[in-house]
Every structure is written in C-alpha cells, then in structure tokens.
Amino acid sequence: MSPTSSHQPILAMATTPNTQQLSKYSPSIPFLRRPQHLTNEFAGDVGFDPLNLATSREQLLYYREAEVKHGRLAMLAAAGWPISELFDKSITQTLDADFDLNLVPIVDESDRAPSLLNGGLDSISPIFWGLCLGLGEL
C-alpha cells in the first residue's frame, strides 16, 4: 500500500504552520537540521527524524498513522499477555465442559504463555496461525 492511497482525508484536515518561526535545527538533536516536513504541526513533534525516513508530507502522515496503530497494538498485547496467563486454564476448562472441544491449556507448568522466548509455540495449531494471517489481511 502506498503512503498516499488512503490518507487523503488526513491531508485535508492538517494545516501547515508558518515555517519561518521554526529553528533550522532540531530541538531533539541540536546539531542536526530539522527535517522539512516536521513543522511542529503534530503533538510531540520536536523535529526528530535523524534518518530522514519521511521524505514527503504524505509519507510523514503515513508513518505517523502506522506508529499510532502499532502503539495501540502494543498496548493490547501488554494487557493481553498477562490476562492470557491468568485465565487460560479456567477458560479452556469452562469451554471444554460446555462444548466438549477437547481443549488443552497452552500455558506451561510455570503458567507462562507460549512465545519465542518461553518456547511452546509448537503446541499451537497451524490452523490458528492461518486464521491469524487471514484475519490480519482484512
């Protein structure tokens, strides 16, 4: 997906402030020049783009939206991981008793959810991973 494909409404809402009032150097890294697309227009904009990733205004808005989405996903994961470890056994036992699904809790003996670091990802069904990839494309 290109940075400009679905972001036209955002471009119409944003206004460009007077750039002559801005310092030519970044407040976050004083010896680097402020990137031309960072104009104190958004909250938290302190001219920090040392690699000059946002080469256009449209790309800046695309990256900004992606950062917000990933931040929200990280917040959900921060809450979901411990909740999954706390309630996995009780949820699988309740569902198994109600619907006879033959579910097995996936937390290990130490009540840790499976992950790359903890191991145990091999106990997750490939069907689940396929559903995750399929739903992620929606």
Side-chain angles (χ1 to χ4, degrees):
M1 177 189 285
S2 73
T4 60
S5 63
S6 66
H7 300 285
Q8 296 305 325
I10 293 175
L11 289 174
M13 293 186 323
T15 60
T16 306
N18 185 0
T19 56
Q20 293 178 351
Q21 298 172 359
L22 298 174
S23 167
K24 65 179 180 178
Y25 292 100
S26 169
S28 59
I29 305 177
F31 56 87
L32 290 180
R33 289 197 173 271
R34 172 187 289 278
Q36 70 181 24
H37 302 293
L38 295 176
T39 58
N40 278 348
E41 178 179 0
F42 303 112
D45 178 5
V46 290
F48 184 78
D49 188 9
L51 301 178
N52 289 319
L53 297 174
T55 57
S56 69
R57 178 170 170 73
E58 291 81 14
Q59 199 170 30
L60 171 70
L61 293 172
Y62 177 77
Y63 287 150
R64 182 175 179 265
E65 186 173 334
E67 185 175 1
V68 169
K69 286 179 182 178
H70 286 95
R72 289 176 180 163
L73 183 61
M75 287 185 274
L76 287 172
W81 191 296
I83 288 172
S84 71
E85 291 180 346
L86 291 172
F87 296 110
D88 179 59
K89 289 181 182 175
S90 61
I91 289 172
T92 54
Q93 291 169 356
T94 302
L95 286 177
D96 194 37
D98 293 341
F99 300 108
D100 194 25
L101 298 174
N102 295 325
L103 296 175
V104 178
I106 58 170
V107 295
D108 64 7
E109 297 81 30
S110 307
D111 287 334
R112 295 181 305 174
S115 72
L116 290 174
L117 301 175
N118 296 341
L121 287 177
D122 55 340
S123 65
I124 308 298
S125 168
I127 295 170
F128 172 77
W129 295 122
L131 286 172
C132 288
L133 290 174
L135 292 174
E137 294 296 320
L138 294 178

